[in-house]
């Protein structure tokens, strides 16, 4: 259970007193505010604040493109046009702030998205809780044999049990020793900034993360993708579900052009044109490497 | 008059219908929303949206520093601590979106602040209005003789009149020709992206500008400073007046530590310590250059 | 002629004394160093410094992907893989510094690429030269009738002559008055930071611009594209010619995947698959808007 | 010993063949290139590439400030002027690329500096080595009693021995199990991206890190400071030693104005002025909080 009764009471208190505002307001997002969406065994994401809505994107675009855009297109068409042509600045006019609880090894991938603002729980100042990510058995998989980084077959039986046992016992021993090192029971107690080094990468941390919608879409494209590691993908998907309710037109355009789209190289365009003209093209005469050709076939058969 | 009746009606309409929100709300900022604050002869700034308040800064800091911060300090003390120690990330948790109308030469300075989001009116798509910044006579000044970039004595009489006449007539002639080049009255009409090149740098443009509070403070420190060019300083001051109403605690800390503060070099510290010990120190034995020494005396006498 | 004899002598002096270095060195780029490539009537780009080469991209990628990448792929294949999968960080390991002379209206577009370092000539400190961009007659075109921002038919005869006359005479008058306002001949002389506001957007400025290869590719994709304004496109193309000599493998991948590639939406993929299966698909049953369909046909016929 | 014989041989090979270049070259930095400077027990930093030197900073500044700067100041004076007035863009014209091997908990602090380029060793693709940071006994300290985050008294005797024993045995057990989970000896073997979660934060990782000089100075100011955690401070100091040899004038200005300087608030200025006028001022009539006053006394006595 990711939230304590105190935290739940705090959430309900925060939701109890709506105030009047003149700002752009998204009813779909108001319903999410402060509420925790559980992710993995002890994690969550929750929306803490947001700025803007679909109309704010349109408004910023109309400032840029002036009177010319006023009558020709409805909001949906304009948003699709912006997405199609990589006009990213109007999407930057929306902003979201999330509170996220996540394992450290997920946080390490996440933080590589640099264009965002972060306040993370500091283990120099404070003591971390005894909470570790232990994968569900169906997510314990072997190294992929076709992909240098992904997962393949799911582990079963004795191997699965043995892995879970190691993860659990090592996490607990590491935490026991963390506590023992910090302990001032007749001792000085090791500084927090040092004791934390004993903790494994599946311990949970938390942070506030604030990002604009353009950069969030970039994050979602990479991290909600099926090639992303499962443990970050579920966070991306939980966020995506909130974004859909926040800016439905922008999210629909994102789904069509980014999540559901592909990028073709000049070589791939040439092959498709030859195929459309009835020609049968193989890897050797495609000009592509074997790897490129395999990826091409995954989409086009 | 910077706003047309249509624009004023639009502002009043936008202000007419408050909606309930669960987000952090700043009463001081709600009073500013959408209202234009006039700057220079035809410019303005107005707040279009905001995210967060003083409490949001504190909340983010408490996530970082954990339970340790809960009881020791009130909000004001914590905000001052963050500002004093350059802990900038909690201030990044607040965001503001402004609509600004400003001369192009001011926009060119402003845009150098890169960590912000911008949607500017596009003169490729749309036609610019006939609005130019013409300085008030008391702002027509000579090049400073002590400062490589600033202004010195105010121009008077015939010189002032002659300068104003040149600025006005050149602006109008440039705009007449801009219109004539665009004209399709029996002609093709020059493309907007080309015709705009005839317009001088005092023509007004406008944009939406979105920035987090930390980067906004950095902007204000540089641009509300007395060494900044007058024409950008008045924009910075108008924004500062809104920020004071938005996040009064953060703004007070900013005023004390940044606007009212100074940075001392190791050499300057050494001189002050010698002075405190009763010694009389001159430039030659200060280790400073003449320029540094002059700047030192400006603060310390 | 963009360069004075003094400047040319300076360039030859800078090229006269090669020094030994242990850094990664690109022979193709050494040949460009300091040499000005003319752009437009008075502009230029020249490479002032660079960091890295194709091998540096590969080296950074191999740090990330470890021993697994050592034997399976040659450098070209690895670079193409990185480009295809949007693995942008290895390209960020190369850096280029350019000296550019360009009209102000081009600079205003250019500066919107925020992830770069810039030092621009300051008209607050120094006096601008009397150099203006005057388009060649074949580049004086009308507003496009199919595109909200582009150019259409070329102007001819009297209209063209009249436009050129306006551009030239307004530029010269504006500069005459700029000089007159600055003049201290029996006067105070207006401050430079004010006098500059009289100058039109086709006056030349210059700057040092430093950017990493990933962000440079992004710039080139948008600005060397046929939809970019001609006056910035020629700068992008001149830079592209240097990049090709600097990092030939990376540039070839960029050309295939970015400049020569397209992005397809989910809807467009579905239409192409139906076509490949022999179906005839029209706009109405494509699910696309008329605008999207027109753009789709431009690529696929 | 952080480097294997293979790695040392690679370094010597890389240093064996200087090539001629026309670029700005820093003899002090050439001597460092590729050579590893040991940090902590298994870590290092080494310079892999650099761009620019002191003269490049001056050159960029002179582009900005034009002819006005040509005769009045020597290079050292100009660089000090830029540093004193926070004119940061000329320092951005220099760039450095480092190869760093560091414990994960140090990497997690380091990565918070967002304006940099990073390629980190990926534990999704590759297997980490059995190398852990184990503090030397003299660096095992208790939590500070005056500072919420720092270290206080050094641990001794049994407590120290017990802590070291825990750190060593937990690290080795975690790594044993990491290997066991990966093992395909009659098993599928757990995917690398999952197995890594068992490893503690004192395991070593490595990355290429590229940053401009302005942002590097910001990093050094925060991380070479005595309040920074010891384990990141030693990295910052090793880098600082290279920077001193690379851009001696810029580094000297940085030392005087940043490392050796202080920032005074408006309140602190007022107190110092009263003291200079002979007044005795205490905390109560200083307007400062107790915390501010304590920090003030640390500098001024």
């Amino acid at each position: 259970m990711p939230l304590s009764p105190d935290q739940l009471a705090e959430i309900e208190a925060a939701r109890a007193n709506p105030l009047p505002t003149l700002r752009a307001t998204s009813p779909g997002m108001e319903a999410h505010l402060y509420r925790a969406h559980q992710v993995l065994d002890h994690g969550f994401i929750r929306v803490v604040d947001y700025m803007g809505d679909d109309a704010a994107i349109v408004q910023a675009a109309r400032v840029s493109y002036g009177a010319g855009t006023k009558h020709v297109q409805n909001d949906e068409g304009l948003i699709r046009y912006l997405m199609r042509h990589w006009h990213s600045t109007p999407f930057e006019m929306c902003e979201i702030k999330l509170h996220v609880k996540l394992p450290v090894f997920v946080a390490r991938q996440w933080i590589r998205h640099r264009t965002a603002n972060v306040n993370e729980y500091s283990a120099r100042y404070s003591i971390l809780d005894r909470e570790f990510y232990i994968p569900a058995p169906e997510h314990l998989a072997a190294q992929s044999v076709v992909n240098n980084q992904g997962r393949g077959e799911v582990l079963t039986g004795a191997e699965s049990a043995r892995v879970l046992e190691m993860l659990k016992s090592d996490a607990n021993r590491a935490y026991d020793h963390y506590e023992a090192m910090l302990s001032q029971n007749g001792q000085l107690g090791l500084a927090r900034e040092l004791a934390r080094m004993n903790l494994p990468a599946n311990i949970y941390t938390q942070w506030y993360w604030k990002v604009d919608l353009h950069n969030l879409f970039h994050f979602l494209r990479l991290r909600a993708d099926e090639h992303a590691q499962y443990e970050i993908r579920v966070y991306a998907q939980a966020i995506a579900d909130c974004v859909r309710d926040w800016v439905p037109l922008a999210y629909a355009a994102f789904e069509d052009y980014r999540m559901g789209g592909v990028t073709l190289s000049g070589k791939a365009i040439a092959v498709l044109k030859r195929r459309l003209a009835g020609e049968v093209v193989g890897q050797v005469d495609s000009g592509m490497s074997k790897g490129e050709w395999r990826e091409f076939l995954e989409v086009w058969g």
Side-chain angles (χ1 to χ4, degrees), chain A:
Chain A
M1 195 194 65
L3 291 185
S4 68
D6 276 11
Q7 288 171 315
L8 285 169
E10 225 176 273
I11 289 171
E12 288 318 304
R15 289 191 57 84
N17 290 304
L19 291 169
T21 188
L22 296 169
R23 290 171 287 172
T25 298
S26 164
M29 201 60 150
E30 292 285 334
H32 284 293
L33 270 174
Y34 309 128
R35 290 200 168 121
H37 298 271
Q38 188 168 344
V39 185
L40 300 179
D41 49 357
H42 299 290
F44 62 77
I45 66 112
R46 58 188 195 117
V47 180
V48 172
D49 207 343
Y50 70 92
M51 173 190 276
D53 57 6
D54 276 327
I57 300 166
V58 168
Q59 184 185 38
R62 294 204 194 282
V63 167
S64 289
Y65 309 130
T69 64
K70 275 217 178 108
H71 305 293
V72 288
Q73 291 184 294
N74 58 17
D75 285 3
E76 184 183 358
L78 181 54
I79 283 177
R80 285 182 63 84
Y81 175 90
L82 297 171
M83 186 70 75
R84 189 161 73 249
H85 290 273
W86 303 86
H87 289 199
S88 55
T89 54
F91 297 104
E92 295 176 13
M93 289 290 146
C94 292
E95 191 91 10
I96 189 173
K97 195 196 297 181
L98 297 161
H99 181 194
V100 186
K101 189 172 164 192
L102 70 178
V104 162
F105 71 94
V106 174
R108 294 242 294 138
Q109 286 195 325
W110 193 312
I111 200 77
R112 297 304 319 283
H113 296 264
R114 288 162 291 184
T115 311
N117 311 111
V118 184
N119 278 278
E120 185 176 354
Y121 187 88
S122 169
R124 294 186 74 197
Y125 288 83
S126 302
I127 297 173
L128 286 162
D129 291 331
R130 187 192 287 265
E131 285 183 313
F132 297 90
Y133 169 59
I134 304 296
E138 65 269 27
H139 295 127
L140 283 183
Q143 188 78 4
S144 168
V145 293
V146 296
N147 179 326
N148 282 326
Q149 64 179 98
R151 300 186 194 172
E153 214 173 321
V154 173
L155 306 194
T156 53
E159 185 174 6
S160 170
R162 198 180 59 116
V163 161
L164 285 175
E165 171 52 28
M166 284 178 192
L167 289 174
K168 283 179 199 167
S169 64
D170 282 2
N172 276 310
R173 183 182 297 101
Y175 197 87
D176 288 344
H177 288 169
Y178 173 64
E179 281 190 316
M181 289 190 280
L182 291 173
S183 165
Q184 297 184 303
N185 189 5
Q187 300 179 115
L188 286 172
L190 188 62
R192 292 165 187 171
E193 68 180 27
L194 285 168
R196 62 171 166 171
M197 82 171 74
N198 202 54
L199 295 169
N202 58 345
I203 197 166
Y204 276 88
T205 183
Q206 53 181 299
W207 61 33
Y208 272 46
W209 189 64
K210 178 170 148 287
V211 69
D212 68 59
L213 183 58
H214 166 66
N215 281 288
L216 180 58
F217 278 150
H218 186 67
F219 174 86
L220 294 179
R221 180 162 71 98
L222 294 177
R223 303 305 181 182
D225 184 88
E226 59 177 305
H227 296 92
Q229 180 165 353
Y230 167 78
E231 282 76 16
I232 196 167
R233 195 165 71 236
V234 286
Y235 282 92
Q237 286 164 344
I239 295 171
D241 288 341
C242 295
V243 175
R244 184 186 290 111
D245 292 337
W246 172 30
V247 282
L249 296 180
Y251 190 80
F254 167 70
E255 272 200 314
D256 189 25
Y257 289 110
R258 298 285 181 275
M259 292 307 287
V262 295
T263 301
L264 295 178
S265 69
K267 287 179 182 172
I269 295 171
V271 171
L272 275 184
K273 286 185 173 176
R274 287 162 66 193
R275 280 191 172 190
L276 283 166
E279 194 179 337
V280 175
V281 187
Q283 183 251 318
V284 174
D285 52 339
S286 71
M288 299 188 208
S289 71
K290 285 179 184 168
E292 283 176 82
W293 184 250
R294 191 177 57 238
E295 295 168 22
F296 179 83
L297 292 186
E298 278 170 22
V299 179
W300 300 103

